[in-house]
Every structure is written in C-alpha cells, then in structure tokens.
C-alpha cells in the first residue's frame, strides 16, 4: 500500500520496478491493467486494488475531526471511510477505521496547563468520551496511542487530521480587542510551526500513510443573526432567560451589529491566515519526501453558511436556547461524569455548561456531508492517477528492494 495517494515525482519503488521489468512484461501488465479498468468502467480500486489486507484509515484531531454533535455514522471521517469502501473499492476490499479525535484536543499540551495537571494528579494520556471538550490527550498523544494499537503502523494508508484552533483559541479568533499582530503570532506559532512538528511526527509514526489536513471555517460573518449570537453568549453563562430581553433592545442591537462586523473580519482573517499557515507547514514537510504525502482540504463552509446564518451548516440552538445537535443528551450525562474525574478545568466554574453546549458552532449533518465531499474531491484524482501504476506494481509479484524498505523503516 505504499504510495497509495502519491502524485507528482516518481518514488524509489516505481523507479526500481521500471528498471527491473522488461518491455514485454511492462506491455503485458499495461494491457492487463487497461482491460481490468475497462471492465470496471474506470471505477478506481474496483479490481485494481486487490490486496487482501484491509485498507486502514486513522482520524486524529480536535472537535472538527471528531465531528462534535454528530452520531458516529454521520461524522465526515466515517462518510469518507464508507465512500472508499463502497464506491472506490466497490466492496472488493475491506476498510478499517479508527478514530482518536476528541473535542478540545490541542496539538500539544501547553506547558502551564500540563504543569497544573501534573500538580493536581490528572493523567494527560487518559481518553474520555470524545464529546467532552478537554485539551488532553493532545493530538501528538493520540498518534502515539494509535500507533501502539496497530500491529504494523506501516500498514496505515490514510490519516485524516485537524488541529490548531484549540491552541489559538476561538476567543482569540473572534475577539476584536485582541491585537491583530497577536492573533497572527498565535496562528504562526500553532498552525505553521506547531502543525509542521505534528506532521513530521505523523509521517514518521506512520511511514506509508498519506495525510489529509482539514481546514477551519469562519466562525461569524456579517450574515450571522445578531440575536442568535447574543443568545448563545448569554446561554453559555446561564443568564436568566426572562432577562434576555435586555439584549434585544435597540441600543444592544446596534452594538451587536458593530461587534458582529468586527468578529466577521477577524473570522475572515483567521480562515485566510490559518489556511496559509497550514499549507506552508504541509509544503515544508512534503519537501522531505520523493512524492507528496500530505494534502490540504480547505473548508466548504463559507460566510453564507457559517454560524447563525439563514443557510447555516453549523449546529445552532433550538427555540429553548438548547443545543440542537444529535449528541446533546449524551453530553448531559457524560460531561458531568468526566469532569468529576478531572481535577483541572480549563473553563473553571463554566466547565460543565461549556461542555454541554460544546456542539454549537460545529458542522451539522449538512456541514459534515460538505466536508466529506471536499475530502473526496482532493483524494479521488490521486486515486485515479495511481490506478494503473498500482495494478502493474501489484501484478509484478516482486518484493521491494531491501534498500528502499530499510529507508522507509528508518522513519518508523
């Protein structure tokens, strides 16, 4: 399964095959490949990817990758898994799926937070329910844990990954009173430098996996409803419901419109600069490989479909100002249980309420489908491009040269 999603430069295995296969063998293989593809009507993987071992997918990251608020079968990482198994492979090859992603996960634990956790006796490697928005286990630990659960980490084919916003913090993204240069510093620190380190760890821990990094969406836009924004803020701090009338008076509405505009500008800046930082990190790490192993998928959610818009693709609140997502009832049970076992609470006295409301502003089912479709568009052309090459290589029946295998295993 080496090089499954590769594109661009020829890898060492490909050069070795071309140097060691005769012209007659190559033409025979090419003819076999062409006939097979014709029979399957160019469905990638229908017969070309005939390996007996399952295709392995791993999802790691924060609440975006864990798809906060969605049932397991509706998460976009699972939808991608189903697409590969049922459409790409047409049921001819099993696809295994593992997810270590959870809400709140940071790229790595920040030093001050880690110190407080150690002081209070919390286990930063312990996993809780993925809906619980806590910063640990961090994404680096998710990778380490997953690696230990695979018999052969080199057999992992595809990793879906998100990370960065919990390090930068949403509050810093939308808060217009945080200086612009400070926000840019945080984006550079975590979405570029932090992501670079994480991608190096990812590709070395799983030496044959292709990696898809998923981008973030705008939090607020000028099309977001100011009343809904206000109600969420007051709901988070449990402001008495009858008194929420105070946020709907003409003066408050004008203030919220000004605030919304500034928050929208910051959201636009966040998306543009985090995308730029992620792509810079990806390009940097890809330079270390013969062929690109890491791909970026920008968000399909726009200013027209972000939080509190008429066509929102994000979870909102219902008429009672309660979360409208699929997992709210689960969080009502699991948040209290988990937080009772944790001594350090990032949100302090608001920890339980923030945990219960955590799905608000995350992709709903429509948003999840949009993310899955965006990932497919990036992945499918590379699948098609590698179809004939992989069939030929698989039909040769030759073992790879020891020098190449050894070079790859050194990344393990």
């Amino acid at each position: 399964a080496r090089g499954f999603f590769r594109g661009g430069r020829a890898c060492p295995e490909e050069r070795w095959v071309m140097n060691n296969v005769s012209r007659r063998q190559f033409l025979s293989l090419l003819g076999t490949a062409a006939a097979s593809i014709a029979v399957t009507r160019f469905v990638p993987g229908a017969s070309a990817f005939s390996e007996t071992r399952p295709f392995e997918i791993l999802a790691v990251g924060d609440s975006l990758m864990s798809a906060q608020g969605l049932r397991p079968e509706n998460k976009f990482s699972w939808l991608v898994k189903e697409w590969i198994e049922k459409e790409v492979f047409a049921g001819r090859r099993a696809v295994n799926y593992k997810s270590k992603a959870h809400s709140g996960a940071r790229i790595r634990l920040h030093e001050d937070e880690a110190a407080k956790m150690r002081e209070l006796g919390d286990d930063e490697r312990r996993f809780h329910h993925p809906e619980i928005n806590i910063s640990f286990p961090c994404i680096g630990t998710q990778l380490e844990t997953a690696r230990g659960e695979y018999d052969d980490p080199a057999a992992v084919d595809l990793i879906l990954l998100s990370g960065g916003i919990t390090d930068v913090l949403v509050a810093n993204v939308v808060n217009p009173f945080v200086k612009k240069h400070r926000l840019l510093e945080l984006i550079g620190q975590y979405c570029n430098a932090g992501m670079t380190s994480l991608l190096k760890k990812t590709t070395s821990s799983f030496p044959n996996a292709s990696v898809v990094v998923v981008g973030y969406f705008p939090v607020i836009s000028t099309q977001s409803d100011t009343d809904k924004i206000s109600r969420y803020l007051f709901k988070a701090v449990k402001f008495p419901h009858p008194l929420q009338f105070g946020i709907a008076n003409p003066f408050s509405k004008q203030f919220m419109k000004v605030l919304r505009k500034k928050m929208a500008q910051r959201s636009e800046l966040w998306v543009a600069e985090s995308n730029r930082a992620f792509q810079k990190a990806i390009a940097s790490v890809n330079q270390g490989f013969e062929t690109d192993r890491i791909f970026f998928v920008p968000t399909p959610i726009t200013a027209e479909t972000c939080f509190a818009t008429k066509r929102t693709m994000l979870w909102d609140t219902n008429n009672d100002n309660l979360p409208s997502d699929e997992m709210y009832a689960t969080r009502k049970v699991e948040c209290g249980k988990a937080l009772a076992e944790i001594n350090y609470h990032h949100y302090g006295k608001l920890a339980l309420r923030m945990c219960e409301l955590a799905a608000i502003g995350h992709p709903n089912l429509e948003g999840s489908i949009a993310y899955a479709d965006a990932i497919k568009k990036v992945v499918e052309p590379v699948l098609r491009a590698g179809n004939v090459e992989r069939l030929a290589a698989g039909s040769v029946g030759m073992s790879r040269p020891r020098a190449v295998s050894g070079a790859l295993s050194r990344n393990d």
Side-chain angles (χ1 to χ4, degrees):
R2 299 177 193 270
F4 185 72
F5 289 95
R6 307 296 191 264
R9 302 177 294 274
C11 66
E13 295 99 320
E14 291 168 341
R15 291 198 299 268
W16 183 85
V17 169
M18 294 305 295
N19 290 335
N20 289 272
V21 178
S22 69
R23 182 174 180 274
R24 178 173 296 178
Q25 285 177 304
F26 177 76
L27 291 175
S28 175
L29 292 168
L30 187 61
T32 302
S36 178
I37 294 171
V39 169
T40 60
R41 296 187 181 182
F42 294 98
V43 177
S47 61
F49 309 132
S50 56
E51 295 189 41
T52 56
R53 74 164 184 84
F55 184 88
E56 301 286 346
I57 299 177
L58 170 64
V60 294
D62 53 21
S63 57
L64 176 57
M65 186 55 64
S66 71
Q68 179 111 51
L70 285 162
R71 291 191 297 268
E73 67 271 20
N74 290 331
K75 298 177 185 292
F76 65 79
S77 56
W78 180 261
L79 298 179
V80 170
K81 176 264 182 191
E82 291 287 275
W83 168 70
I84 291 177
E85 185 168 43
K86 295 178 180 179
E87 296 187 35
V88 175
F89 294 145
R92 291 174 173 82
R93 183 180 178 188
V95 177
N96 289 338
Y97 168 91
K98 182 192 295 288
S99 176
K100 293 297 179 183
H102 70 84
S103 177
R106 301 194 197 279
I107 290 177
R108 59 176 174 79
L109 275 183
H110 300 180
E111 287 301 322
D112 57 340
E113 185 175 24
K116 290 176 182 176
M117 289 181 61
R118 287 191 291 268
E119 181 183 342
L120 295 173
D122 286 330
D123 181 2
E124 63 189 52
R125 302 185 70 86
R126 180 182 176 184
F127 283 82
H128 294 269
H129 193 286
E131 285 285 309
I132 311 302
N133 60 333
I134 49 179
S135 56
F136 66 94
C138 68
I139 303 172
T141 299
Q142 293 175 28
L143 289 167
E144 293 167 8
T145 302
R147 191 178 191 282
E149 294 176 358
Y150 286 104
D151 292 333
D152 180 12
V156 175
D157 298 282
L158 174 64
I159 296 175
L160 304 176
L161 182 153
S162 70
I165 196 167
T166 53
D167 297 274
V168 175
L169 297 181
V170 175
N172 289 327
V173 170
V174 299
N175 187 349
F177 301 105
V178 173
K179 298 294 185 181
K180 178 180 176 180
H181 70 83
R182 177 55 181 159
L183 176 59
L184 295 177
E185 286 175 359
L186 291 171
I187 292 173
Q189 180 180 353
Y190 296 113
C191 301
N192 181 14
M195 182 58 71
T196 298
S197 297
L198 183 64
L199 291 176
K200 288 180 178 178
K201 183 183 185 75
T202 303
T203 52
S204 62
S205 298
F206 301 94
N208 294 323
S210 294
V211 182
V212 172
V213 178
V214 178
Y216 295 101
F217 47 85
V219 182
I220 299 289
S221 78
T222 55
Q223 297 184 41
S224 299
D225 184 271
T226 55
D227 287 344
K228 288 185 177 181
I229 297 172
S230 300
R231 283 198 297 271
Y232 168 72
L233 294 174
F234 280 85
K235 184 65 182 178
V237 297
K238 301 187 75 170
F239 197 81
H241 187 80
L243 299 181
Q244 291 186 23
F245 168 78
I247 67 174
N249 65 64
F251 175 77
S252 295
K253 284 192 172 184
Q254 282 302 114
F255 172 75
M256 284 304 300
K257 286 181 180 180
V258 174
L259 184 61
R260 178 186 62 182
K261 181 179 179 180
K262 292 184 178 295
M263 293 170 73
Q265 291 171 342
R266 294 299 288 263
S267 291
E268 290 177 2
L269 179 68
W270 156 248
V271 173
E273 293 302 322
S274 63
N275 282 357
R276 193 191 319 276
F278 289 142
Q279 290 171 309
K280 186 176 180 180
I282 290 170
S284 174
V285 180
N286 272 337
Q287 284 299 311
F289 306 117
E290 287 289 326
T291 57
D292 290 346
R293 290 182 56 187
I294 311 168
F295 305 90
F296 181 66
V297 177
T299 181
I301 296 172
T302 66
E304 290 75 28
T305 55
C306 68
F307 180 66
T309 59
K310 291 181 179 179
R311 299 191 296 113
T312 184
M313 290 185 178
L314 307 179
W315 291 119
D316 209 330
T317 54
N318 59 24
N319 292 333
D320 294 321
N321 284 343
L322 296 174
S324 58
D325 66 280
E326 302 171 347
M327 299 296 289
Y328 176 57
T330 298
R331 287 195 306 281
K332 287 286 287 184
V333 174
E334 296 294 336
C335 287
K337 289 168 53 178
L339 293 174
E341 299 170 352
I342 299 169
N343 296 311
Y344 174 72
H345 297 151
H346 175 76
Y347 292 107
K349 293 181 179 180
L350 282 176
L352 180 60
R353 175 55 63 187
M354 295 300 290
C355 182
E356 291 175 349
L357 301 177
I360 297 174
H362 287 82
N364 57 22
L365 180 55
E366 187 179 2
S368 182
I369 292 172
Y371 261 106
D373 288 343
I375 292 172
K376 294 175 192 178
K377 288 178 182 177
V378 170
V379 168
E380 186 171 21
V382 189
L383 288 176
R384 291 185 181 277
N387 198 27
V388 175
E389 294 174 2
R390 284 187 50 76
L391 176 58
S395 301
V396 173
M398 301 177 181
S399 60
R400 290 180 177 82
R402 294 182 61 85
V404 172
S405 297
L408 289 169
S409 65
R410 282 197 295 274
N411 289 328
D412 197 353

